[in-house]
Amino acid sequence: MIKLTAIEKYYENRVIKTFVLRNINLEVKEGEFVSVMGPSGSGKTTLLNIIGMLDAPSNGEYYFLDEPVHKMSEKRLTELHKTYIGFVFQSYHLIDELTVYENLETPLLYQRVNSNNRKGRVAETLDRFGMVAKKDLFPNQLSGGQQQLVAIARAVIAEPKLILADEPTGNLHSEQGKEIMDLLKKLNEQGTTIIQVTHSETNAAYGNRIIRLKDGWIEK
Amino acid sequence: MIRNYLKTALRNLLRFKIYSGINIIGLAVGMAACMLIFLYVQNDMSFDKFNKNYNRIYRVVDIWTQNGSVARWSLTPTGYANAFTNDFPGVKAVRLSHGNGPVVIKYGDKLFKTDGVILADSTFFNVFTFPLIEGNPNEALAAPFSIVLSESEAHKIFGTIDPLGKTIRLLNQFDFTVTGVAKDPPRNSSIQFSFLASFTSLPGIYHAPASILNNFNSNDYYTFLLLPKGYQVESIRNSLPSLLTKYKESDIGFYEREKLLLQPLSDVHFSTNLLFDFPNKGDKQYDYILSGIALFILLIACVNFINLSTARSATRAKEIGIRKVLGSNRSRLVRQLMMEFAILTLLSAAIGFVLIELFLPAFNSATQAHLSTNFFDNPLMILSFVAIWILVVVIASSYPSFYLSSFQPVATIKGPSGSGSGRSVFRKSLIVFQFAISTFLITVTIVMWSQYNFLKSHKLGFDGRQVIYLPWSTEIVKNYDAFKQQLLQRPRIESVARTGWLPGNPYDIEGYTWAGKSGGRSDSYYTMMVDPDLASVLRLKFEAGRDFSRNMPTDWSQSFVINEAAAKRMGWTAPEAIGHTLNSSYGEKGKIIGVVENFNIKSLKHEVEPVVMSMDSTHSQRSIVAMRISGKDIPATMTYIKSQWERFSPDFPFDFNFLDESFGRLYNSEQRLSGLFTTASLLSIVIACLGLFGLAAYATQERTKEMGIRKVLGATIPQVINLIAGDFLKLVAVAALIAWPLAYFAMQKWLQNFAYRLDIGLWIFIVSGAIALAIAMLTVSSQAIRAATANPIESLRYE
Ligand SMILES: Nc1ncnc2c1ncn2[C@@H]1O[C@H](COP(=O)(O)OP(=O)(O)O)[C@@H](O)[C@H]1O
Ligand SMILES: [Mg+2]
């Protein structure tokens, strides 16, 4: 599903090139559950963003479902990540001006899901995440943990083939964290490919493969 | 404390350069526009008020009725002057002729063409305030054949020689002695002159008995009255009916003198619908409308101020919160903010002044006004500028001041709560207000231009293209036939005719009766002395009957050709009119031999007027020569005409006009008005868009994170742009919906001024709305596009 060959990412200023990712070769098959680990600043988020097509690599090739992402038009990129990829961020990135319900609804709107279908799916997701009572609240009326729950729910609702989660449980207490991990596991068992970044060995163990990054290199 | 305020004010100004810039420049443009329009209006309103006694000077207006139709004359018979001074002791009267068209003046062997000579009573300089540089104001216009020159004419003719006592020859006939030099009349004077000849010259000029100075049989001269100080004008007004009856026996009875009116001098510039009135009219209604527009433009600029300041309030809130915690109370904060605004607006005012200086020449040429920026001669202007400034400070700062200072300290220090961009209902309504005005003005402008073009392209019933006419010259009149023969030698001169006047030019009116006419008295018709070639020069079409013919002896004095409107007014169809006999009040009698299709002799503000044409049997008429030429090689034709003119009339400078052009000049005021409105609507949309730009920039900045998230969630770029632009464009659309009906009704009303008017088509609204929307869209999208195409990671990374 995902094939990265010799991916590099660096930031340049007038004086120096700072490498964030170096010679990344990585293949992820459909249905895998991959955990990315590594110290802070090692490039985990950058790698995830590149896979998620939010960021372009400086060098290297990236094939997604055998299509060359590095050669794709902006339009096709939007199309691909809209239909195949769901994101969960380290910080929740909910839209402050929208209610929980509306936040969940947003990706479906962009995918032109019709109104009845949309209502059904939002209701179902609210139910599944136990947030029915909170559907009319705004993000700043929720605790951090609850906000992350909404963010995950929002990533899941569009039924993506690939979920990219950047420390999804970082701000949740262990009970909720476990719930989320179980949920991700279940999604994975139903066929969703998942790549998560995590600091926790326990959470990493939910995946069937661990990739360790250090200073931008994949540790062998 | 003040220093502290000043510092924060200045830093805020520099820190938010875009907002400060938009605020200052928008307001500067608004203030400049406002001042320019006020200058224009003030100039218009100031007409004739330079006369020291203007509030004691009145013009006599003579109103006639004929079978129910009313003729309002600004000209009166000569007799009223004495009537008033005899019956109302202390009242001074002055009679003026209207400029009788170009006159040639000869001094030594040099020829000068002038716009006209005005005859005036010796009281002229006592009644009006036109200072004499040389000469005695009480006597300069007393003796027959005295003449007073304007300063610039004196300079032109005499150069450095002292003109006093010199003799100049008018019309190659009359010798006048220069008895004075007057300062040029100010621009805002209805009475414009370059030569003033003594009224007592009248009998000499017309070879008429002295009774011409004191009779009641034709309305040819303006009569102005100066009332003594403290005199009640009402007492004269009340005795006008008896004055009318007293002098009635002396009128010749082809019309009915209905009543006399006294029109204050300050109203003269604004009067409409008076026959033979002064040119250069103002319109109070337009002055009020323009003032209103000036205020609206200023308000649009103030709205920018309010919107941008409140939008920025989130960033400003923290400072205000801290100040509150530190113990500032609300009124102090309001004062601080007001001071900031005062500084900003003062900057705007300064830039505004510069803008006025820069744009005044362009404004003057667009509006054909002659405004000067010499503010220091114009205390009223300085005063109103200060008033405008205070108004702006109060309007623009009051809302933001109170809005900002009512923040709760704890909440504001923690961070802004409300969102700043185009969200609040208040701000939304202000944007709607701005764009409603802009769309209104755009619509109005389009309607005005369309109407102007409609008037210019409307069929007039005659064809004025390639028709050239020459001024009157006694020598040409004497040798007309030879002159005409010479002209017709050239195949490119198609036809040549002689006529008393032409459409669009000063006209004559005369009374006519006919057998079977009800009411007995005569009706007045526009009357034209023509020759058999005029119909072909003007391409008039015959509806019934025939044209004059040189071969029919009766045509010379016993035939009339009328237009359809005249036939209709007489109660006949065109064919019915043929054969009827008309009697003119001057004793002409003849049969109607032809009826031509209607043609307009006045601007299309007026309906077609009834015209009666007869042939000039005496050849003594003042007449102008008109000819139709071929469109090919006009310069060569002109050179030829000029050479013939100089051969036949060496003492009169050559001059010519194209008839279509001189007719087009009747719409100067419409053109001027359209120009003003174009400027106003451009300014209003520019200022409104400046504000929109600021708000869009702010909204974009504020919602960058949201836009990033939405992109990550799969929003396309247009969708993201729409997030920002959509909100604003909806407001602009609402504004258009409000503006359209208002503009429609306003323009329907305006169009009532014209006898011929265009239908306000749907396209006008579509175009005006599209213009407003397109400009707004460009403004807003430029901001939104930048944000929407940015990589979302940039905005989300460090959250
Ligand atoms: N726009 C940027 N310019 C320069 N350096 C950057 C930029 N974005 C990220 N980095 C650097 O890249 C490195 C990797 O960042 P990141 O992928 O966020 O690491 P992680 O998620 O593993 O903590 C960090 O050292 C960070 O400072
Ligand atoms: Mg990270």
Side-chain angles (χ1 to χ4, degrees), chain A residues 11 18 20 38-47 90 166-167 197 213, chain B residues 794 797-798:
Chain A
Y11 292 98
T18 320
V20 178
S40 193
S42 58
K44 306 182 294 291
T45 299
T46 309
L47 178 61
Q90 200 165 350
D166 197 348
E167 301 191 43
V197 169
L213 278 180
Chain B
E794 301 300 326
R797 188 184 301 275
Y798 294 112

Side-chain angles (χ1 to χ4, degrees), chain A residues 16-61:
Chain A
I16 47 164
K17 262 187 191 175
T18 320
F19 277 88
V20 178
L21 293 176
R22 292 165 187 270
N23 194 25
I24 301 288
N25 294 295
L26 175 66
E27 196 161 349
V28 178
K29 298 226 164 49
E30 220 164 330
E32 273 197 281
F33 190 156
V34 178
S35 304
V36 179
M37 298 191 74
S40 193
S42 58
K44 306 182 294 291
T45 299
T46 309
L47 178 61
L48 219 57
N49 284 340
I50 288 174
I51 294 173
M53 301 170 201
L54 296 177
D55 209 352
S58 310
N59 286 311
E61 293 179 348

Side-chain angles (χ1 to χ4, degrees), chain B residues 199-443:
Chain B
F199 205 76
T200 46
S201 322
L202 198 58
I205 293 174
Y206 286 107
H207 309 292
S211 65
I212 192 176
L213 291 174
N214 198 11
N215 69 18
F216 289 89
N217 48 25
S218 82
N219 284 36
D220 292 315
Y221 304 98
Y222 301 109
T223 305
F224 284 90
L225 304 177
L226 172 66
L227 310 192
K229 277 206 180 81
Y231 208 98
Q232 290 302 308
V233 64
E234 287 315 315
S235 68
I236 299 189
R237 283 200 170 125
N238 292 336
S239 21
L240 287 174
S242 59
L243 184 125
L244 201 61
T245 17
K246 187 167 163 192
Y247 295 96
K248 200 163 189 164
E249 64 254 33
S250 40
D251 81 42
I252 59 166
F254 74 84
Y255 54 83
E256 193 166 349
R257 283 225 154 86
E258 159 90 357
K259 60 179 170 191
L260 293 174
L261 293 179
L262 295 186
Q263 178 187 41
L265 180 61
S266 51
D267 285 354
V268 165
H269 178 58
F270 300 103
S271 65
T272 49
N273 291 327
L274 291 184
L275 292 169
F276 300 102
D277 203 351
F278 296 113
N280 193 7
K281 287 286 161 192
D283 190 327
K284 275 195 180 149
Q285 200 189 334
Y286 288 152
D287 287 349
Y288 295 138
I289 293 173
L290 284 172
S291 309
I293 288 172
L295 272 181
F296 274 128
I297 290 179
L298 198 66
L299 277 180
I300 291 180
C302 289
V303 164
N304 283 352
F305 231 94
I306 295 172
N307 271 348
L308 291 173
S309 326
T310 51
R312 221 185 64 193
S313 60
T315 34
R316 203 60 208 280
K318 200 163 179 183
E319 179 207 330
I320 288 166
I322 293 170
R323 282 184 187 276
K324 278 197 169 176
V325 171
L326 295 180
S328 176
N329 61 22
R330 190 175 166 140
S331 69
R332 270 187 158 172
L333 281 171
V334 170
R335 245 179 294 148
Q336 178 197 347
L337 290 169
M338 283 246 187
M339 208 175 83
E340 262 186 62
F341 286 125
I343 293 172
L344 278 181
T345 45
L346 208 56
L347 266 171
S348 300
I351 297 175
F353 264 111
V354 175
L355 289 178
I356 293 175
E357 286 290 341
L358 283 177
F359 286 103
L360 196 72
F363 182 82
N364 272 340
S365 75
T367 61
Q368 295 161 26
H370 303 276
L371 310 177
S372 92
T373 48
N374 212 339
F375 294 105
F376 303 100
D377 286 354
N378 196 340
L380 196 69
M381 224 57 240
I382 297 176
L383 219 69
S384 54
F385 204 98
V386 172
I388 288 176
W389 176 56
I390 291 173
L391 193 77
V392 167
V393 173
V394 171
I395 296 177
S397 69
S398 54
Y399 182 75
S401 293
F402 286 96
Y403 176 81
L404 284 175
S405 63
S406 63
F407 277 121
Q408 293 301 303
V410 179
T412 48
I413 290 177
K414 257 175 72 180
S417 53
S419 93
S421 62
R423 300 287 176 90
S424 86
V425 179
F426 181 72
R427 199 169 307 140
K428 275 181 182 167
S429 3
L430 288 179
I431 295 174
V432 169
F433 167 82
Q434 289 183 306
F435 277 86
I437 294 174
S438 304
T439 313
F440 177 87
L441 288 176
I442 294 173
T443 314

